[in-house]
Amino acid sequence: MNLNNSEIFNENKYVLHRIKFFILILLEIPAVLISLLIFIFFRTHRSRLKIRQNGSICLLLIVNFIKLSTDIPMTIHFFYFHYVIPAISTYCTWWTFLAYSLSSICEFLTAIISIQRHILIFQPNLLQIRLRRYILYYSPLLLCIIYPIIFYMFAIIFYPCDGTQWIFTENGCGFANCYFIYDKVLSTFDWLVNNGLPIVIILVANIALVVRVIKEKYQRQQIITWRKQRRLTLQLMGVSSLFLIAWLPSLIIALVQQLISPEFALQIQLDYITELIYLLYLLLPWICLGLLPECVKWISKKLSARRIVINIVRPITIHNGI
């Protein structure tokens, strides 16, 4: 019996959703475990948390963990059932609000952390004064959390809409928010400022930091060693590449849709490009772990101690002679 076009399409969708489901599950579990291990490390080593670099990384991880615990499980749930459940407008509104706001918070936090790293490495004395510390360190981090929540609350939750635009057979209800469909000015601002700008800042700040570190190496070799420089360079390349791979394709397609044609690469974006962004949040705990060598040593020590205990407490079989 020959399958019609609709049946072939549905079969292809089924296979694609299954593949995405298993990939997300395989990446979600270790991402959550790594995040929890880092949180436990900071809980048991509070002195490490007082270091400003570690404090900002922990804040980024907390927001990322919320996304791992809310948005991504909702996506996994969709790929398992191939349909949005419950298929109601309210669910789609809050789902996209969580997805957009948490993603934007992570981007802005990473951008600010990249800028603050210049201060922490090259001008740490600027943060010795309390007022400067609040202006240059705490306030930007707080703004990174408050601004996206307020923006998307008005753009998604309070935006006047009848709720008939949602696509319940697509992930994220098709991400068919009314402002994104009917308001080109607001949607273009969203992509340029809330998504594009942080990515540009992250790339420029990290590249500039690498250049400054290399320059410092040749000027003051006794202070910045090559080993530290090499490790920092690899870390920054990892962070920059992760954000670039995850966001750049989606940003380019979205801008073309807003400025030229709304249908440009729409199905490709829904089926493949959007899922690249999930890799960012699923791999971010591993990147953060690489930024915390003390945590890596602590985990290794715990695993080694556990293996020793297992080897010692092995069941002994006693053979009774006759």
Side-chain angles (χ1 to χ4, degrees):
M1 182 177 64
N2 295 327
L3 296 176
N4 56 39
N5 292 335
S6 177
E7 289 172 332
I8 294 175
F9 174 80
N10 290 333
E11 180 65 21
N12 291 338
K13 276 285 189 178
Y14 177 85
V15 174
L16 185 61
H17 286 179
R18 278 293 179 223
I19 293 174
K20 291 178 180 179
F21 170 78
F22 286 112
I23 291 176
L24 290 179
I25 283 289
L26 290 175
L27 294 176
E28 165 87 353
I29 295 174
V32 171
L33 292 177
I34 290 296
S35 299
L36 292 175
L37 286 173
I38 296 176
F39 294 150
I40 295 173
F41 169 77
F42 282 134
R43 181 69 176 82
T44 56
H45 299 75
R46 295 189 179 183
S47 60
R48 297 293 181 181
L49 193 57
K50 294 179 180 179
I51 301 175
R52 293 189 180 91
Q53 297 95 315
N54 293 344
S56 56
I57 290 176
C58 184
L59 179 61
L60 176 62
L61 265 179
I62 290 173
V63 177
N64 191 76
F65 184 77
I66 296 174
K67 189 170 182 69
L68 290 174
S69 305
T70 56
D71 176 35
I72 294 182
M74 295 166 80
T75 302
I76 294 174
H77 182 268
F78 167 80
F79 286 137
Y80 182 81
F81 290 101
H82 317 289
Y83 198 78
V84 176
I85 300 175
I88 56 177
S89 175
T90 303
Y91 181 80
C92 293
T93 299
W94 283 99
W95 183 3
T96 52
F97 170 74
L98 282 172
Y100 285 22
S101 58
L102 291 173
S103 296
S104 184
I105 290 172
C106 285
E107 285 185 80
F108 277 113
L109 281 176
T110 307
I112 292 299
I113 290 171
S114 300
I115 295 175
Q116 289 179 341
R117 203 174 302 168
H118 286 258
I119 300 175
L120 294 172
I121 293 177
F122 299 104
Q123 296 174 304
N125 292 332
L126 286 176
L127 301 179
Q128 295 299 324
I129 301 176
R130 178 177 296 181
L131 180 60
R132 290 179 181 176
R133 191 160 59 245
Y134 278 102
I135 294 175
L136 298 176
Y137 184 76
Y138 294 113
S139 295
L141 294 175
L142 183 61
L143 184 62
C144 290
I145 297 175
I146 295 176
Y147 164 71
I149 293 176
I150 294 176
F151 177 86
Y152 288 112
M153 187 171 292
F154 283 96
I156 295 178
I157 297 178
F158 297 135
Y159 193 94
C161 195
D162 58 8
T164 59
Q165 80 284 357
W166 300 112
I167 306 173
F168 299 119
T169 56
E170 295 289 350
N171 179 33
C173 304
F175 298 101
N177 300 96
C178 284
Y179 84 95
F180 191 75
I181 297 175
Y182 304 119
D183 194 330
K184 284 191 175 183
V185 175
L186 186 59
S187 58
T188 303
F189 173 86
D190 180 30
W191 279 103
L192 286 175
V193 176
N194 298 336
N195 297 122
L197 181 60
I199 298 301
V200 173
I201 293 175
I202 291 167
L203 293 176
V204 173
N206 287 331
I207 292 173
L209 185 57
V210 172
V211 173
R212 293 184 70 179
V213 168
I214 294 175
K215 184 179 178 181
E216 287 289 322
K217 175 186 181 295
Y218 289 104
Q219 291 181 350
R220 297 182 294 176
Q221 294 187 6
Q222 73 278 12
I223 296 179
I224 299 181
T225 63
W226 167 243
R227 182 179 179 183
K228 180 180 179 181
Q229 181 192 73
R230 182 180 61 182
R231 177 166 53 86
L232 180 60
T233 303
L234 292 176
Q235 290 171 351
L236 296 177
M237 288 178 60
V239 172
S240 301
S241 300
L242 188 60
F243 275 86
L244 182 63
I245 293 172
W247 274 105
L248 193 57
S250 182
L251 286 171
I252 292 175
I253 291 177
L255 285 176
V256 174
Q257 289 173 347
Q258 294 300 317
L259 300 177
I260 301 177
S261 172
E263 300 298 324
F264 174 76
L266 180 60
Q267 200 58 48
I268 295 176
Q269 184 185 33
L270 291 174
D271 288 342
Y272 303 102
I273 302 300
T274 303
E275 272 67 47
L276 284 177
I277 300 175
Y278 292 118
L279 294 178
L280 169 62
Y281 309 105
L282 292 166
L283 298 179
L284 187 59
W286 295 96
I287 299 297
C288 291
L289 184 64
L291 296 171
L292 300 168
E294 307 92 347
C295 185
V296 175
K297 294 179 182 179
W298 175 76
I299 294 175
S300 299
K301 186 182 296 185
K302 290 294 182 181
L303 292 176
S304 299
R306 183 174 179 81
R307 282 196 295 267
I308 293 174
V309 171
I310 292 175
N311 290 332
I312 293 177
V313 191
R314 281 184 174 176
I316 301 176
T317 304
I318 301 177
H319 300 278
N320 295 323
I322 299 177

